[in-house]
Amino acid sequence: MTTPADPFGPAAGEPTPPVQGYGPPASDPPAYGQPAYGQPAYGAPAAGAWQGPELASWGSRVGAALIDAIPVLVIEFLFIGIGAAIGGATGGLLSVIGYLGAIGFVFWNLAEQGKTGQTIGKKVLGLKCLKEQDGQVLGVGLSIGRAFTHIVDGIPCYVGFLWPLWDAKKQTFADKILKTVVVKA
């Protein structure tokens, strides 16, 4: 008994095409100085390594955070100090205004980071906070959420804030959770 012809194979009398495999034959060694098949080229970034703009140093990130804190402290101490000097209900009202003004400034600064990638401190030091996947700015919601996510950085004895010192992408825990990076602008 004969086997039926393969309806998808070559027609009768045509040569059989060579079998297509993956990569070069095992008998062919890679050329001198060339990576083996399936390996990254020499000097190429490892899989998952950051390939965008230069990452910001830990010191510059801390500096930007300190610059961002200055207006908040000035607003609070100015209104609270004047309120304490005046005393009474008016002084208490000024203290409340100081706290609300400081909170308002923080949210405005985070909204600016969401729109432009930079808070006041990041702008002064030439840094930007971007999404890791596409290098775009965060948007207002993600920027504010990132500020709240920094709570995670403080839970294990504030180690999350120090994590950029030895991390390949120089990310805090909040950056890793939300997939953000801080780069030089």
Side-chain angles (χ1 to χ4, degrees):
M1 173 176 219
T2 62
T3 58
D6 182 7
F8 301 106
E14 286 186 20
T16 306
V19 176
Q20 297 294 318
Y22 295 100
S27 61
D28 291 343
Y32 179 74
Q34 298 298 317
Y37 183 76
Q39 300 299 314
Y42 178 75
W50 175 248
Q51 298 176 16
E54 184 180 353
L55 295 166
S57 70
W58 181 79
S60 61
R61 291 178 66 157
V62 170
L66 291 174
I67 292 170
D68 287 337
I70 291 171
V72 174
L73 295 174
V74 168
I75 291 169
E76 283 183 357
F77 287 126
L78 182 68
F79 280 92
I80 292 170
I82 293 172
I86 293 174
T90 305
L93 180 63
L94 282 175
S95 296
V96 170
I97 290 172
Y99 286 123
L100 292 176
I103 291 169
F105 174 80
V106 168
F107 278 98
W108 172 82
N109 207 18
L110 292 172
E112 284 299 306
Q113 176 178 269
K115 295 176 199 172
T116 65
Q118 297 177 308
T119 60
I120 289 175
K122 285 182 178 73
K123 191 175 292 185
V124 168
L125 294 180
L127 306 177
K128 267 191 170 184
C129 186
L130 304 171
K131 293 179 190 174
E132 186 178 355
Q133 296 93 340
D134 56 10
Q136 298 297 314
V137 294
L138 306 182
V140 175
L142 186 59
S143 178
I144 292 171
R146 181 176 177 266
F148 284 107
T149 310
H150 277 304
I151 293 169
V152 175
D153 293 324
I155 290 174
C157 301
Y158 297 96
V159 170
F161 289 112
L162 299 174
W163 206 260
L165 287 170
W166 53 80
D167 185 63
K169 294 180 190 172
K170 298 184 180 182
Q171 294 174 304
T172 63
F173 294 161
D175 290 325
K176 288 188 175 301
I177 291 168
L178 298 176
K179 296 179 176 41
T180 59
V181 290
V182 179
V183 298
K184 292 184 180 179

